[in-house]
Amino acid sequence: MASRHESQLSSSSFPLPKTRWWSKETVAIVTGGNKGIGFAFVKRMAELGLTVILTARDNARGIEAVESLKKLGLHLYYHQLDVSDISSIKQFTSWFTNNFTALDILVNNAAVSFNDIEENSVEHAETVICTNFYGPKRLIQQLWPTFRCSSTVTRILNISSRLGLLSKLRNEELKSMLLDEENLSEKQIEGLVKLFLEDVKNGTWKSKGWPKLWTDYAVSKLALNAYSKVLARKYKGKGISVNCYCPGFTQTSMTGGKGKYTPQDTAEIGVTLTLLPPQHLPTGMFYLGSNPPNIYSKL
């Protein structure tokens, strides 16, 4: 995502509206909701009275997470979902359409990385790309007919990373392609990830200008950011908002518990952004968690 303009953002900059536009009829799905940031998103939205569906790849852990929230008096739903598996996505979508009339909010949080903080292996690059890029993309495509697209605006929030910003990409040809916002297509983005996987297979990925840090993860988020940009442009003004949110260095299992922020901190801001009043809800934005958080004005 290109970042041309930047302004300060904090939870107080976008307080929850005094008159809430949402109700218990407002339906939200959070992927990877059994722990970390996803769990904190689920908990906060359930506290605010939305109907929340927690999903998790590991069925036992998902059920355990739901039970822990129910003990707090929160009401929510659960269904197993592995976003790296198209059959799992289709099964989940079938369950959703049989039990709910429409979807208002989708938080694509589920993601994987197989590297420790200081490591940069691409041994599992295909799994990382499949989960972090194709997972959200395929889930959005399958759920698309269920989006409410009403005056309250359906919201897609893709949990991303600053590692996927265009500034991290050192291949000028690919960078120029991604900067051509009016002509950028899904086909081009898929071509980019296929090229990366070919470079990994050929052992040439280090010399082709890909991001230096957590390369496979960074490319997956670069692709997700670009896809979000395409969706935001295509459906602007049509009742759908698509934004990305980088929580910053957060204490999760992915970071080995290290980080400046707790999952609760980052979810508080993320949920507030997701629940902005329709008249103030942007699209095509990249929110960057920091201290205080920043907002990049364009994807």
Side-chain angles (χ1 to χ4, degrees), residues 44-117:
R44 185 62 183 134
M45 288 196 288
E47 289 172 343
L48 291 170
L50 287 81
T51 292
V52 187
I53 302 166
L54 183 156
T55 77
R57 179 179 55 188
D58 186 297
N59 197 48
R61 292 178 180 176
I63 292 172
E64 182 180 358
V66 169
E67 292 303 318
S68 70
L69 292 174
K70 286 184 176 180
K71 289 179 181 178
L72 299 177
L74 299 175
H75 178 68
L76 63 155
Y77 295 86
Y78 167 74
H79 197 279
Q80 191 274 340
L81 172 62
D82 180 356
V83 299
S84 69
D85 182 353
I86 186 60
S87 64
S88 178
I89 290 175
K90 290 181 177 179
Q91 289 172 9
F92 172 77
T93 302
S94 176
W95 171 83
F96 179 82
T97 55
N98 287 332
N99 288 276
F100 299 90
T101 57
L103 177 61
D104 299 281
I105 298 169
L106 173 60
V107 179
N108 280 309
N109 168 73
V112 296
S113 174
F114 295 90
N115 286 308
D116 289 335
I117 294 295

Side-chain angles (χ1 to χ4, degrees), residues 37 157-163 165 244-250 261 266 286-290 293-294:
I37 294 170
L157 186 68
N158 293 322
I159 305 302
S160 189
S161 170
R162 72 184 74 193
L163 295 177
L165 290 174
C244 290
Y245 173 47
C246 169
F249 192 28
T250 306
Y261 317 109
T266 58
F286 183 87
Y287 300 108
L288 176 61
S290 62
N294 297 315

